[in-house]
Amino acid sequence: MSVDRTQGSCVTIRTLPPLSSLSRCVYSSSDDATFGSPTRMGKGLTCVCFKSRGTYERICINLTPLQEERLRRLKHRMKVNFDASRVEHQEGLKALWSATYPGQELHGLVSDQWKEMGWQGKDPSTDFSFYMLNRGAGFISLENSLFFAKTFSTSFQCLLKKQGGKRAAWEYPFAVAGVNITFMIMQMLDLDATKPRTFVRTVFLQMLSENEWAFDLLYCVAFVVMDKQWLEKNATYMQFNDVLKSTRAQLEKELLMDDVLRIEDMPSYTLLF
């Protein structure tokens, strides 16, 4: 079955959750297949409408208590701004440094050493403040980077040191790129919307019920996909936004594949190893 999402392009509807969590309503129509607007019917009940072969079809996914709780916690993480005066945020920066440069002493939270990681200045909090105002990705972007550094240290170090492929003369700054990737994923998943507007969000919520760290895992996949796209396009710094757009398109494509039920099932997940 295929649907037209809003721009006339067709995607395959992936395998949905068990029938116990779905209900389906069918309405007559003679129109061509088009994607309809999601609606919300009661607490935790997400309904997505689409038309196919002359009929309207509505799939309703009832969020489980586990999904609702994990979504609530993820939304909370997304709303926490980076605050350099908070001890836990200072400790987060120190932990990121230690995971990135094991055995190398950090001389201070304000230091030229941070430029090595790809921050634009010697104080990462300045970059966080800028991107929070212009992008909205706060402390969660630091958590994402720390998760990446600890969980997939080899891939993290390879990207940090730009070891793979033929690199551009003007490379993307590693740390700042990570903040942008977090923001891109937040936009793509549309988790803060009152009403869900994409199948990608619905798919992700099912993944979140399988693994509470699905967002962080998706961040790691997104980073390696972005770097792969960067190399394939022979991109330079001024093309970073274009690379980010193509990265998002690739992630959306993989998330909607029939046999992708977890982040670990995404074809690009293998790039982490």
Side-chain angles (χ1 to χ4, degrees):
M1 182 185 301
S2 62
V3 297
D4 183 76
R5 290 196 293 176
T6 54
Q7 303 297 325
S9 59
C10 292
V11 296
T12 301
I13 299 300
R14 55 160 285 147
T15 303
L16 286 161
L19 291 177
S20 59
S21 63
L22 298 177
S23 62
R24 182 183 292 251
C25 308
V26 181
Y27 306 90
S28 296
S29 171
S30 59
D31 297 336
D32 295 332
T34 57
F35 182 68
S37 300
T39 58
R40 193 169 181 82
M41 302 180 66
K43 182 180 180 182
L45 190 61
T46 300
C47 291
V48 184
C49 299
F50 59 92
K51 288 185 287 183
S52 176
R53 297 182 180 179
T55 61
Y56 274 104
E57 297 190 39
R58 170 179 289 166
I59 292 179
C60 300
I61 301 174
N62 192 13
L63 297 184
T64 66
L66 177 62
Q67 285 175 312
E68 289 189 334
E69 175 58 22
R70 288 185 173 177
L71 178 58
R72 184 194 65 78
R73 289 202 294 262
L74 179 54
K75 285 184 175 181
H76 174 74
R77 290 177 62 197
M78 290 167 52
K79 293 177 180 178
V80 176
N81 291 332
F82 181 84
D83 184 348
S85 67
R86 293 178 61 174
V87 174
E88 59 267 37
H89 291 197
Q90 295 172 10
E91 293 302 317
L93 273 179
K94 293 176 183 177
L96 179 60
W97 178 268
S98 296
T100 305
Y101 302 105
Q104 184 174 333
E105 182 183 358
L106 176 64
H107 300 313
L109 292 179
V110 177
S111 168
D112 284 330
Q113 288 175 289
W114 288 106
K115 296 179 183 179
E116 299 174 30
M117 196 184 295
W119 299 103
Q120 295 184 355
K122 60 183 181 180
D123 183 1
S125 65
T126 302
D127 282 337
F128 275 118
S129 297
F130 173 81
Y131 284 100
M132 281 188 297
L133 289 173
N134 294 278
R135 295 287 189 272
F139 187 63
I140 190 173
S141 61
L142 174 56
E143 293 179 314
N144 291 157
S145 293
L146 186 55
F147 179 91
F148 191 7
K150 289 185 173 182
T151 310
F152 304 102
S153 58
T154 301
S155 293
F156 181 87
Q157 291 293 331
C158 183
L159 294 180
L160 171 72
K161 299 171 183 176
K162 306 294 195 301
Q163 292 176 335
K166 183 180 179 181
R167 314 302 309 196
W170 192 7
E171 279 286 327
Y172 62 84
F174 179 77
V176 171
V179 177
N180 279 273
I181 289 171
T182 296
F183 174 70
M184 179 268 289
I185 297 173
M186 288 167 57
Q187 278 194 318
M188 179 181 74
L189 298 180
D190 198 28
L191 297 179
D192 251 344
T194 304
K195 295 181 179 180
R197 292 173 288 202
T198 67
F199 274 106
V200 170
R201 170 188 164 129
T202 302
V203 167
F204 176 78
L205 289 179
Q206 298 303 313
M207 294 177 169
L208 192 61
S209 67
E210 295 289 334
N211 189 337
E212 185 168 8
W213 302 104
F215 187 94
D216 301 83
L217 281 172
L218 185 57
Y219 169 88
C220 299
V221 173
F223 216 132
V224 291
V225 170
M226 185 279 293
D227 191 75
K228 185 173 183 288
Q229 297 264 358
W230 177 271
L231 292 173
E232 289 177 350
K233 296 177 183 295
N234 194 27
T236 62
Y237 182 76
M238 298 303 293
Q239 296 170 291
F240 180 78
N241 285 337
D242 292 333
V243 173
L244 209 57
K245 289 178 183 177
S246 62
T247 298
R248 173 172 172 170
Q250 180 64 29
L251 295 176
E252 290 176 333
K253 176 183 176 182
E254 293 189 18
L255 286 169
L256 291 171
M257 289 179 175
D258 286 342
D259 55 352
V260 173
L261 304 176
R262 307 172 304 155
I263 299 297
E264 294 92 329
D265 296 329
M266 296 174 67
S268 292
Y269 182 79
T270 60
L271 295 173
L272 288 166
F273 301 93

